[in-house]
Amino acid sequence: MTAVQTRSLTKHFRDVAAIDGVDLDLDEGRVHGLLGRNGAGKTTLMKLLTGQVFATSGQMRVLGEAPVENASVLARTCFIQESQKYPDGFRPRDVLRIAEGLYPAWDRELARELIGEFRLPEKRPIAKLSRGQLSAVGIILGLASRAPVTFFDEPYLGLDAVARRLFFDRLLADFAEHPRTVILSTHHIDEVSNLLEHVVLLDGGRVVIDAEAEELQAAAIEVSGRAEEVREFVGDADLLHLQEIGALATAAVHADRGRAERARAAGLQVAPVSLQNYIVHRTNTAVEQTAAIS
Amino acid sequence: MRYRSVIDMHVVNRMQAFGWPPVVGALSLLLVLAIGAIVGSQGPDARAGMYEGMTWNGAIFAVLGPMIGYGFTSMGQYFPLALGLGLTRREFATGVSLVFLGNAAVYSAVITFGKIIEVATGGFGLQIRFFDVFYTGTGPAWQTLVQTFLLILGVLFLGAAITAAYLRFGQPFLWIAGAVLSMLAVAILAGIVLLDGFGRGLLELLTMSWGPWMAVIAVIGAASAGIWLLLVRRTQTR
Amino acid sequence: MLDESKPLFIAVADQIEDGVLDGTYPEETPVPSTNELAAFLRINPATAGKGLNRLADAGVLVKRRGVGMFVAPGATDLVRRRRREDFRQAYIAPLLREADHLGLTTQELITMLTEEAPR
């Protein structure tokens, strides 16, 4: 079953289209990466799917039902928002206690453990927490809720390397034991690329990529060598990126069938292109195309 | 029932929910008692005059005033968290309405109780008025109960409605609402100055009997509640 | 930890195969579960599972209902045979290509190999 489905989903803020005709099918029980630059529409999409804002047009289904004002869907959906506001004077323990009453599958034991591991001062007013501690509140809530559909919007903000790894390991372990649908938005693509099964790249409110992570990891190769030979090899193939330093050049190209072998045969160095670099290349290409059209 | 979480949110700040109103109320009562003791020492005439004048004593607003702030806070601070935790707007509205009703019931009961004691003890023996004033009704106790209940409820919904309108329409709402209110004030002032009999008519209107006044408060409260419910169903978080 | 030049699930399968070859996972003993492997390698459990299933399909591992995956009897030989075949493709072919670039004859190459090989 699909956990999330949208058709021609569109959201305008005044005359700006934050989400522009988005069609998506996100399968249940997988980790989906929702990637894109700031302002690409990731947060707006998640807000639409959790009924925080209303769509201008189009349809959406979460766990098979329309999510807006739907308590049965929202009780099974947890949205950890990067910019979540908390009332004055609220402490982490207050928020977690209230959340416990709202998510049927809440795991109190897990919440306890995570508070300890993240060293979250649960009795300090949230207004006085650091950005990293604030992110930890969201992470603990998102993991302990065990919601069948969990959205993490930039969960990494302000976290140090230890805490980031902790989040990754805990998410992975909990996801393995309690499979659910996770939709993860982050700029730290390299850190999560081995966790993602499916990737959606948004740019300017539109879907640029909607593919299996495995396909994307093999989608491009980087060839390098003498500039002349690289240019000749690349020819008029789809070029993602080209960089020349003196007589040397490096080019990222789509890995069509046999291209890597041909590059090696032509005496060029071949290297894989990481998901992060591929996403960066594709985002830049999308920008260039938009610029070319307008 | 999920709406209970909304009630839980409202009592997280125990001082804000249960602590400050009694403390502030008690302090202002003490202040009024002190004034009563000082004025009372100047003889029975002064005391009788004070008893009359204190009909308009607004010290009770130390308790009633923060209520409008409570309405603001519900919409401005608890609404984004409620939605963030997956509550529907309907559940939020149900919870908040119950909080407001509970508030109005408790405070109107406390004030009525205070008034009964105040009247029975002749202004706590000092001929002062704190609970038994114009705003809470100087008539029988049941009138005070009804009046304060309606007043508090109306003020809470009004605060929530104003904040909801602000969230829905943004800054322009404040400008337009401010402009409309000041135009209304100017119009009334102009009417009093320029039109013969306007001021007297207005005074008669304002001094109408208890029943019609309650109807006015009830209508304002109901309209606020209605507008708030209407707006909250369409309010988005930012 | 994993070879990044090939798809992740294949890298996972190769790593388990290495373990079978060098005796880390003797025949008829269990290999790590999908979740253990996922946690250890920090990869999605689905990917880890795909790697294990690839080995099961190839006959290197066998599924035992309710217990998990075990190294199949005869798996060491199976893996060694296939790896030897791959060795030709992965090492001999590039070796000859490079030797050709450098103008080395096959005879010279054999001499080099003999000299380098430990007694």
Side-chain angles (χ1 to χ4, degrees):
Chain A
M1 194 171 110
T2 47
V4 169
Q5 187 178 60
T6 71
R7 289 293 174 268
S8 316
L9 189 64
T10 299
K11 171 66 178 176
H12 290 265
F13 287 111
R14 297 185 189 280
D15 46 0
V16 182
I19 287 292
D20 193 2
V22 164
D23 296 322
L24 277 181
D25 292 278
L26 305 181
D27 290 335
E28 240 177 359
R30 310 185 81 192
V31 184
H32 303 270
L34 185 57
L35 311 177
R37 302 189 61 183
N38 289 333
K42 302 175 304 249
T43 304
T44 304
L45 179 59
M46 290 191 267
K47 281 188 160 190
L48 282 164
L49 291 169
T50 51
Q52 316 261 306
V53 298
F54 302 112
T56 308
S57 63
Q59 291 88 46
M60 52 186 170
R61 290 266 177 282
V62 174
L63 296 168
E65 294 175 48
V68 175
E69 288 298 273
N70 187 335
S72 110
V73 169
L74 294 176
R76 288 178 287 156
T77 309
C78 183
F79 176 27
I80 301 309
Q81 204 180 161
E82 169 248 314
S83 61
Q84 178 66 56
K85 293 187 193 75
Y86 298 98
D88 294 342
F90 268 49
R91 301 162 301 171
R93 67 181 317 173
D94 301 321
V95 176
L96 295 175
R97 184 172 53 78
I98 288 164
E100 184 173 344
L102 285 169
Y103 294 105
W106 184 268
D107 186 331
R108 185 184 294 182
E109 198 50 48
L110 179 65
R112 284 268 123 245
E113 283 172 32
L114 291 170
I115 287 170
E117 288 175 15
F118 279 100
R119 300 187 185 169
L120 181 68
E122 52 168 339
K123 292 180 187 169
R124 186 180 300 171
I126 292 180
K128 289 184 180 151
L129 296 184
S130 71
R131 178 65 241 192
Q133 290 169 328
L134 190 63
S135 292
V137 176
I139 287 170
I140 294 167
L141 210 162
L143 289 176
S145 72
R146 292 254 165 84
V149 178
T150 307
F151 295 88
F152 282 107
D153 184 12
E154 286 297 342
Y156 277 140
L157 277 192
L159 289 186
D160 59 39
V162 176
R164 290 210 297 273
R165 166 145 307 194
L166 188 58
F167 168 61
F168 184 98
D169 287 351
R170 286 310 223 142
L171 174 61
L172 177 60
D174 210 58
F175 170 76
E177 275 181 39
H178 305 270
R180 50 204 201 252
T181 309
V182 175
I183 295 154
L184 181 62
S185 143
T186 179
H187 292 304
H188 293 71
I189 302 172
D190 268 344
E191 294 199 17
V192 297
S193 63
N194 285 353
L195 193 58
L196 304 180
E197 297 175 70
H198 177 249
V199 169
V200 173
L201 173 64
L202 288 181
D203 199 68
R206 292 165 192 260
V207 175
V208 182
I209 296 176
D210 174 2
E212 295 297 301
E214 202 176 283
E215 276 169 40
L216 297 177
Q217 244 131 11
I221 49 168
E222 197 175 74
V223 296
S224 50
R226 289 165 43 113
E228 233 169 87
E229 286 171 10
V230 169
R231 269 199 301 265
E232 192 185 336
F233 174 77
V234 170
D236 48 7
D238 264 354
L239 192 63
L240 285 165
H241 179 73
L242 178 72
Q243 196 178 11
E244 298 194 19
I245 312 159
L248 298 176
T250 298
V253 288
H254 287 283
D256 299 337
R257 191 173 286 278
R259 185 165 270 164
E261 285 72 21
R262 271 182 284 132
R264 277 195 202 95
L268 297 171
Q269 299 264 336
V270 179
V273 172
S274 73
L275 183 64
Q276 168 141 317
N277 283 335
Y278 183 70
I279 294 291
V280 169
H281 294 326
R282 284 291 298 269
T283 313
N284 288 338
T285 325
V287 171
E288 281 155 24
Q289 277 164 359
T290 321
I293 292 163
S294 54
Chain B
M1 285 279 102
R2 281 155 51 92
Y3 65 78
R4 288 192 47 175
S5 299
V6 181
I7 301 172
D8 283 349
M9 280 180 204
H10 281 81
V11 297
V12 159
N13 279 326
R14 293 213 183 76
M15 267 322 266
Q16 188 196 318
F18 310 112
W20 289 120
V23 169
V24 171
L27 281 177
S28 51
L29 175 59
L30 275 177
L31 190 72
V32 174
L33 286 172
I35 293 170
I38 294 164
V39 176
S41 66
Q42 293 172 351
D45 281 352
R47 194 173 279 195
M50 177 180 68
Y51 191 67
E52 203 50 45
M54 275 200 175
T55 308
W56 299 89
N57 174 18
I60 191 72
F61 279 104
V63 180
L64 295 182
M67 291 292 165
I68 194 160
Y70 213 54
F72 286 136
T73 320
S74 282
M75 221 24 226
Q77 297 201 3
Y78 296 97
F79 180 71
L81 180 63
L83 253 63
L85 291 175
L87 284 157
T88 64
R89 292 164 179 81
R90 185 190 291 270
E91 288 165 333
F92 176 76
T94 307
V96 169
S97 302
L98 289 174
V99 169
F100 286 1
L101 280 168
N103 247 310
V106 168
Y107 284 111
S108 57
V110 167
I111 288 170
T112 305
F113 184 64
K115 174 203 168 102
I116 291 171
I117 294 177
E118 186 175 294
V119 172
T121 56
F124 301 102
L126 289 169
Q127 295 281 296
I128 57 116
R129 284 166 180 269
F130 181 74
F131 296 108
D132 183 31
V133 290
F134 173 77
Y135 319 100
T136 56
T138 48
W142 69 266
Q143 280 192 354
T144 296
L145 188 67
V146 172
Q147 181 167 344
T148 45
F149 180 77
L150 285 179
L151 198 66
I152 293 170
L153 202 59
V155 160
L156 284 167
F157 278 120
L158 187 66
I162 290 171
T163 318
Y166 171 69
L167 287 176
R168 179 87 173 76
F169 304 111
Q171 203 70 27
F173 164 76
L174 290 185
W175 289 110
I176 292 169
V180 168
L181 281 181
S182 37
M183 259 153 48
L184 208 65
V186 169
I188 291 171
L189 213 65
I192 294 170
V193 175
L194 301 176
L195 292 178
D196 239 8
F198 185 87
R200 206 180 322 119
L202 197 67
L203 197 67
E204 269 168 27
L205 197 65
L206 288 177
T207 49
M208 63 188 169
S209 60
W210 188 81
W213 259 125
M214 288 310 103
V216 168
I217 294 174
V219 165
I220 292 175
S224 302
I227 290 170
W228 172 66
L229 283 170
L230 207 66
L231 286 174
V232 82
R233 298 300 300 277
R234 293 297 306 160
T235 303
Q236 313 187 69
T237 59
R238 332 198 130 197
Chain C
M1 192 148 42
L2 286 170
D3 184 351
E4 293 203 341
S5 66
K6 45 193 167 194
L8 212 49
F9 74 97
I10 294 182
V12 171
D14 285 355
Q15 205 180 53
I16 298 283
E17 265 189 10
D18 287 343
V20 171
L21 261 187
D22 68 18
T24 309
Y25 305 123
E27 288 177 15
E28 316 251 13
T29 63
V31 293
S33 72
T34 303
N35 288 352
E36 285 166 349
L37 210 54
F40 181 68
L41 299 173
R42 302 169 169 273
I43 57 173
N44 192 289
T47 315
K50 208 169 158 186
L52 289 175
N53 280 327
R54 182 183 160 85
L55 292 176
D57 290 344
V60 176
L61 301 180
V62 283
K63 282 181 199 172
R64 293 213 181 134
R65 217 169 284 272
V67 199
M69 296 256 203
F70 284 70
V71 180
T76 323
D77 277 344
L78 181 71
V79 172
R80 188 175 293 124
R81 232 177 313 133
R82 233 211 20 258
R83 283 287 180 96
R84 283 180 176 173
E85 202 47 48
D86 292 345
F87 180 74
R88 249 172 199 269
Q89 295 290 319
Y91 297 93
I92 305 295
L95 180 81
L96 288 174
R97 197 159 51 225
E98 183 66 10
D100 188 48
H101 273 299
L102 302 172
L104 289 166
T105 66
T106 310
Q107 201 51 57
E108 284 170 309
L109 206 55
I110 291 171
T111 317
M112 278 170 111
L113 277 174
T114 328
E115 281 170 11
E116 286 297 317
R119 303 283 129 192

